[in-house]
Amino acid sequence: MAVLALDTSAAVAVALVGDGGERLAVRSADERRRHAETLAPLISEVLAEAGVDRTALTAVVAGTGPAPFTGLRVGLVTARTLALSLGIPAFGVSGLDAIAAQAVSDLGLTPGEEVLATADARRREVYWARYRVVAHEGPHATPVVELVAGPDVGPAAGLADQAEGAVVVGEGAALYPDDLPLAEDAPLVPDAVVLARLAIARRDAGLDQPTEPLYLRRPDVQEPAARKRATDAPAADRKASGA
């Protein structure tokens, strides 16, 4: 029995873990523009390495971002489709949650310390959320963090207040070091293994884990507004125009 985790919020990451959270197989590719072409082969590779048939999966976990629309939806749609076809649950976990939890383990943070997790939002902006460490090691050897502020998106230069007193991690900070003091050896992108472990711990605690995406920003491409007909204009305007 195993849990498959996928993340396409930044690069493409896939992990297979046991129901107890033990790591079985991992693959990743630093591919930012070909998520759809990259994801399926990586899923096949982790299943083959672990010797697990997809019918033995007990859940599928997807990173819910925040991230730009196009890449993020690839992982979410794949996770939902796979879960539906197998008749198993699909769980969603924020990538910022995963980065914050990983920072607790990687940097040896202790309860009470706070973490500012960041991700690249482009346009000189970052996605961010601030967390407080509750426990260094919780269920399935996964740190427990609680959300203090965010998630939100904004200019890196405007996050000084959020960064103050916090350990700053994530790719967003790495891109704007003049504005955000990245911690040494900080994790930069979500780890699919951590996503899976967080989902298992939350599942066991009976928490809801929707797979709704965290875009935090409207898509760049939007449907054009419908053209107004002459008859939609106020009567005075139609009279003035001769309509």
Side-chain angles (χ1 to χ4, degrees):
M1 310 294 267
V3 174
L4 179 70
L6 323 170
D7 186 74
T8 55
S9 62
V12 181
V14 180
L16 192 69
V17 305
D19 262 338
E22 62 275 18
R23 171 176 166 163
L24 301 178
V26 177
R27 289 288 188 280
S28 63
D30 190 18
E31 178 54 69
R32 307 297 176 109
R33 296 186 180 276
R34 300 176 63 252
H35 295 88
E37 297 89 340
T38 306
L39 182 58
L42 295 188
I43 293 173
S44 297
E45 288 177 18
V46 297
L47 291 171
E49 179 182 331
V52 173
D53 189 86
R54 65 180 58 199
T55 59
L57 295 176
T58 56
V60 183
V61 180
T64 59
F69 178 77
T70 304
L72 183 59
R73 69 177 179 177
V74 171
L76 290 169
V77 170
T78 300
R80 290 170 177 171
T81 301
L82 186 57
L84 182 63
S85 67
L86 296 172
I88 57 177
F91 299 126
V93 176
S94 164
L96 294 178
D97 288 5
I99 294 171
Q102 186 178 348
V104 176
S105 297
D106 291 358
L107 305 180
L109 304 184
T110 57
E113 290 191 84
E114 296 197 356
V115 181
L116 180 68
T118 66
D120 181 19
R122 303 172 187 173
R123 307 177 188 171
R124 292 199 62 80
E125 292 187 331
V126 297
Y127 300 115
W128 63 271
R130 182 162 171 152
Y131 301 84
R132 181 178 296 111
V133 181
V134 175
H136 180 79
E137 187 171 298
H140 308 295
T142 303
V144 180
V145 296
E146 63 179 2
L147 187 65
V148 175
D152 206 345
V153 60
L159 290 178
D161 289 347
Q162 293 297 336
E164 186 176 357
V167 177
V168 182
V169 300
E171 192 173 44
L175 292 170
Y176 306 108
D178 292 340
D179 300 313
L180 294 169
L182 181 71
E184 186 177 356
D185 298 325
L188 300 181
V189 296
D191 184 328
V193 172
V194 178
L195 283 172
R197 289 173 176 166
L198 285 172
I200 292 170
R202 293 171 180 179
R203 176 199 65 187
D204 293 351
L207 300 178
D208 188 31
Q209 301 184 77
T211 57
E212 296 303 314
L214 288 170
Y215 293 132
L216 301 184
R217 181 195 283 155
R218 293 181 62 83
D220 293 332
V221 178
Q222 300 180 33
E223 292 186 9
R227 290 186 177 182
K228 290 186 177 181
R229 297 174 299 177
T231 54
D232 293 333
D237 292 346
R238 294 202 303 272
K239 184 176 180 179
S241 65

